[in-house]
Amino acid sequence: MRLVKLKIGDYAIIAVVLAAALFVMLTFTGKASGGNLTAVIIQDNQIMHKISLKGLEKPLIIDIPGKYHETVAAENGRIRFQEADCPDKVCVNTGWLTRPGQIAACLPNATIIKIEGDDNEIDVLAK
Amino acid sequence: MKLMFWQNNAQTKRVIQYGLMISLALALSVIEKWFPLGLIVPFPGIKLGLANVVTMFALIYFGVRAAFLVTVIRCFLGAIFYGGITALALSLSGGLLALLLMAILKPGYKRLFSLNGISVAGAAAHNVGQVAMAAFLLGNAGVYAYLSVLLLTAVITGVLTGTISIALFGRLEKSGHLQL
């Protein structure tokens, strides 16, 4: 008698879980290291700042003017909206952006931070 | 006026049965903290999921309602004993999503799935629920990256608790103690 008994549906469930693990691995961790990370800050459809996040020695604080006042913090490999006096705080709550394709947006102030990488594989997966 | 929480034997029986299942689930979730799985796989959130043996038992022999009660009460008591409010949110989101998926799979039990498959599905759903709640609490979708490792271990721990359950439930059924 075998110790572990599996039925046909069990194999299906295990296959689905393993496939999901693989999918998550490719989507979220695949591009975490290596490659360039460039953060772009866009306001009113115009590029305001372009920051290379790889090897950023000391943290960078950028003030964003406009209808509402916001500060963006950039560190080695990551960037986020640090503070905002906009009403909903969606941008701040988005947290750190660390991988190409990630976006944080403040709609009231028409400001977007996004991270661009060397290739757009992530974008394809995300669609 | 008599102070009575339950009126007849059937209700008394149910209170005892549920009480046993809840305390067993709670005891198992405390006991599994003694196994430092974190030393083998240095990763937050990895555990055996022994309490799921009780959830599956409740689900299969008592139904979804009983399994729901056992899960929710176990999570609240666990939070009081060793967790806290964050742990409560994490264990509830994981536990309830796991229960939901296992309840969906239950009609296929014994025909399509054994307890191994149901347990793996439950473990995976538990991880998904927990990570989603963690991402929500932290306000950072980056925690989803943890999910790949958690899902891989869910297969192993799921088969482990599933095998334990198969042995246990089989024995209980044969022994004739499962007169419900």
Side-chain angles (χ1 to χ4, degrees):
Chain A
M1 200 173 79
R2 294 203 337 268
L3 188 62
V4 173
K5 287 165 260 177
L6 293 174
K7 289 191 194 284
I8 179 89
D10 296 343
Y11 288 106
I13 288 171
I14 290 172
V16 168
V17 172
L18 290 179
L22 193 67
F23 176 78
V24 172
M25 209 179 287
L26 291 175
T27 316
F28 285 100
T29 53
K31 295 291 162 186
S33 59
N36 270 325
L37 278 182
T38 309
V40 187
I41 302 177
I42 301 165
Q43 192 173 27
D44 297 322
N45 281 327
Q46 286 183 325
I47 294 178
M48 309 293 283
H49 300 273
K50 251 191 170 175
I51 308 151
S52 182
L53 295 177
K54 264 272 134 58
L56 207 58
E57 288 284 315
K58 52 180 187 181
L60 211 62
I61 305 286
I62 300 155
D63 283 315
I64 309 282
K67 195 174 163 194
Y68 297 97
H69 181 255
E70 292 161 333
T71 51
V72 171
E75 290 176 9
N76 183 17
R78 58 185 197 167
I79 189 165
R80 68 165 174 176
F81 279 102
Q82 186 167 283
E83 281 175 58
D85 55 11
C86 59
D88 57 7
K89 301 272 194 292
V90 168
C91 53
V92 177
N93 290 333
T94 306
W96 290 103
L97 309 183
T98 54
R99 286 177 304 275
Q102 285 187 317
I103 284 180
C106 177
L107 295 181
N109 216 16
T111 312
I112 295 170
I113 314 176
K114 65 178 181 181
I115 296 192
E116 293 176 345
D118 282 342
D119 51 50
N120 291 319
E121 195 184 332
I122 297 297
D123 290 341
V124 174
L125 267 178
K127 278 166 195 164
Chain B
M1 198 181 109
K2 278 195 289 183
L3 179 64
M4 282 181 91
F5 294 110
W6 48 86
Q7 277 85 34
N8 55 46
N9 277 342
Q11 277 178 318
T12 310
K13 194 172 162 189
R14 188 142 41 105
V15 168
I16 293 169
Q17 287 167 333
Y18 284 27
L20 278 174
M21 286 192 285
I22 291 163
S23 43
L24 193 55
L26 195 59
L28 285 174
S29 61
V30 172
I31 285 170
E32 75 178 2
K33 288 184 187 301
W34 299 346
F35 297 94
L37 275 193
L39 292 183
I40 303 168
V41 191
F43 221 74
I46 288 185
K47 55 176 188 172
L48 278 173
L50 287 176
N52 199 36
V53 173
V54 181
T55 308
M56 286 196 293
F57 181 80
L59 177 67
I60 282 162
Y61 297 105
F62 290 83
V64 181
R65 207 182 88 96
F68 177 81
L69 278 175
V70 168
T71 305
V72 171
I73 297 175
R74 190 242 310 159
C75 289
F76 272 96
L77 289 178
I80 291 169
F81 288 148
Y82 52 82
I85 192 75
T86 314
L88 174 65
L90 290 173
S91 62
L92 264 183
S93 61
L96 289 181
L97 196 64
L99 177 59
L100 178 71
L101 187 58
M102 293 195 297
I104 292 170
L105 294 176
K106 188 192 165 187
Y109 173 54
K110 285 201 168 160
R111 281 184 299 122
L112 283 171
F113 316 110
S114 73
L115 290 167
N116 275 322
I118 294 178
S119 160
V120 170
H126 192 277
N127 288 328
V128 171
Q130 257 185 339
V131 168
M133 181 55 82
F136 173 73
L137 291 177
L138 295 172
N140 189 336
V143 267
Y144 282 109
Y146 286 132
L147 208 48
S148 54
V149 180
L150 289 177
L151 288 177
L152 287 179
T153 52
V155 173
I156 299 163
T157 59
V159 167
L160 205 71
T161 53
T163 303
I164 292 172
S165 305
I166 291 171
L168 192 68
F169 298 2
R171 234 160 236 261
L172 283 172
E173 278 184 7
K174 253 186 230 157
S175 74
H177 286 304
L178 270 181
Q179 292 164 348
L180 303 172

